[in-house]
Structure formats: structure tokens, C-alpha cells
Amino acid sequence: MSAKTEALWIRLDPCKVLRWCIESAHLESPGEDVLADRSKSHGYLLSHYPALSMHPGMVTKAISTEHPAEGAPFHLLHSISHSLMLTARRHTGYDSKSIQEYLLPMDLSVILYVSSIQNYTAGGLLTLFQHYLQPWFDDASMFAFNCAFDPVCTDVGSSCSGCVQVEIGCETFNQGLSRGYIHGGAVNRDATLVIQKGYWDAP
């Protein structure tokens, strides 16, 4: 069903994502000429991470459990998306069930929108963008730093219903998410991929 609603389009910097993948996800560096150019960095990411070109629902099935780093930039984007959804309420008045995600992994971006069939919204996302953007991102970062179920959650990959998982509306049914991508640490139960420096901890 189509409906008039409001949304925010959030895009990650491909240069920063590429540097993070090199430092934390075992990707070979292409050299400074690529790292300093957004278009070249974006192209390098797309050529080395097929997961970014897949439908989000197929990524977890396509990435082998022996090589979880192959999905690192996709799962990073997705984990950030959930952290932002789950902390938007304080600044918008919308609860996490009212805000949905539409992942655009090839563009390293996500659209967060108000799920409504009434062709009416209260303007909460617009107010958030205009007045509370930095506090919102700060809240999302702190939210992803720990979990109410720690240390158990951290021991099994830093993803559970007490932190970055959502009840409804996730395109991958919460597969592949981890706070480890954002702040470092093991991103799965078997610790076959350990992020040395989280994306939001990198300079």
C-alpha cells in the first residue's frame, strides 16, 4: 500500500567504511589514491563485497560461516540502522515499531521511515533532523555500547532482543546484527570474526 509519510535517508561515507574494513575486517588496502576518493572507495567496496549487491534477505544465506568478514560492511550498515531506529523515540515521539527500515546496501545507505497508512505523520523525523540530529546519533552510539543482558549478550555475538534486534519489520529477521561492528568485539557466537575497532570508535 502506498501512503504519504516522512523519512530520513542516511548514508555512510565510503572512504571511512573502506578504511574500517581494512583495519577491522581483514580487507587488503588498495592504496591511498583509492582511500582518499569517495567514488573509488565505493567501487572497491562493491567489487570486494558481493553482499552489498544482494537482496538484504539473501545475505546471511550467501555468506559462509567460515568467512563472516565477507558481510562486514552490510552488517555494519544494518546494525547502525537498528541502533538509530531503537533510539529515535526520545526525539520524535514515535516508538521503534512505528519506524521501519529500507536498506540500500549498494549505496551504503538506509531509509528510515514512519510506517503509516493514514497519509498523516506528526513531523517527528523532520524535527529530529532539524534540531536533534547529533544527540540522536550520540544516543544510538551509547545504546550500542552495551546491553541489559550483558555479559551474556556480548558472549554470544552482541545481538539480542535487549539491544539491536527489533520485534517487527527487519528485512533479515535480525540475522547478522551485532553491536561489535559499531564498538568492536566478537560479532558471532563462535568469535570467528572479532572487530578490533568499531566503526563509530574509528577516527
Side-chain angles (χ1 to χ4, degrees):
M1 294 181 293
S2 62
K4 292 181 180 179
T5 186
E6 56 180 331
L8 291 177
W9 184 12
I10 299 160
R11 186 171 188 259
L12 302 184
D13 182 342
C15 293
K16 184 173 181 180
V17 173
L18 179 54
R19 288 184 183 275
W20 175 81
C21 287
I22 293 167
E23 294 174 359
S24 299
H26 315 296
L27 181 66
E28 183 179 347
S29 175
E32 280 299 321
D33 60 323
V34 174
L35 287 166
D37 185 283
R38 286 191 174 189
S39 296
K40 291 180 180 178
S41 292
H42 197 174
Y44 194 82
L45 286 166
L46 291 176
S47 66
H48 285 75
Y49 291 102
L52 292 174
S53 304
M54 298 177 187
H55 184 280
M58 300 300 296
V59 171
T60 304
K61 296 179 181 178
I63 301 301
S64 73
T65 55
E66 289 79 17
H67 303 285
E70 294 174 356
F74 171 83
H75 294 312
L76 166 68
L77 173 68
H78 196 189
S79 299
I80 288 175
S81 172
H82 278 219
S83 294
L84 291 170
M85 281 196 296
L86 290 164
T87 52
R89 181 174 184 172
R90 174 182 173 188
H91 305 290
T92 64
Y94 303 129
D95 62 30
S96 57
K97 295 180 182 179
S98 299
I99 299 178
Q100 302 292 309
E101 66 182 350
Y102 189 82
L103 294 167
L104 301 169
M106 283 191 71
D107 189 52
L108 299 175
S109 66
V110 59
I111 294 175
L112 300 182
Y113 65 96
V114 179
S115 178
S116 171
I117 60 172
Q118 299 178 1
N119 289 323
Y120 169 80
T121 59
L125 288 185
L126 177 61
T127 301
L128 173 63
F129 176 76
Q130 291 177 333
H131 302 288
Y132 302 108
L133 192 60
Q134 185 65 54
W136 177 37
F137 273 74
D138 290 341
D139 286 350
S141 178
M142 288 303 299
F143 173 82
F145 194 75
N146 51 34
C147 175
F149 296 116
D150 274 339
V152 176
C153 178
T154 296
D155 291 342
V156 297
S158 297
S159 174
C160 74
S161 59
C163 53
V164 292
Q165 294 183 6
V166 297
E167 296 178 29
I168 59 172
C170 178
E171 293 188 71
T172 71
F173 299 98
N174 293 311
Q175 296 296 309
L177 296 166
S178 176
R179 293 178 289 111
Y181 291 110
I182 300 174
H183 286 298
V187 299
N188 51 29
R189 182 183 296 271
D190 300 324
T192 52
L193 176 60
V194 178
I195 302 299
Q196 298 301 320
K197 182 178 289 186
Y199 182 77
W200 275 349
D201 293 331

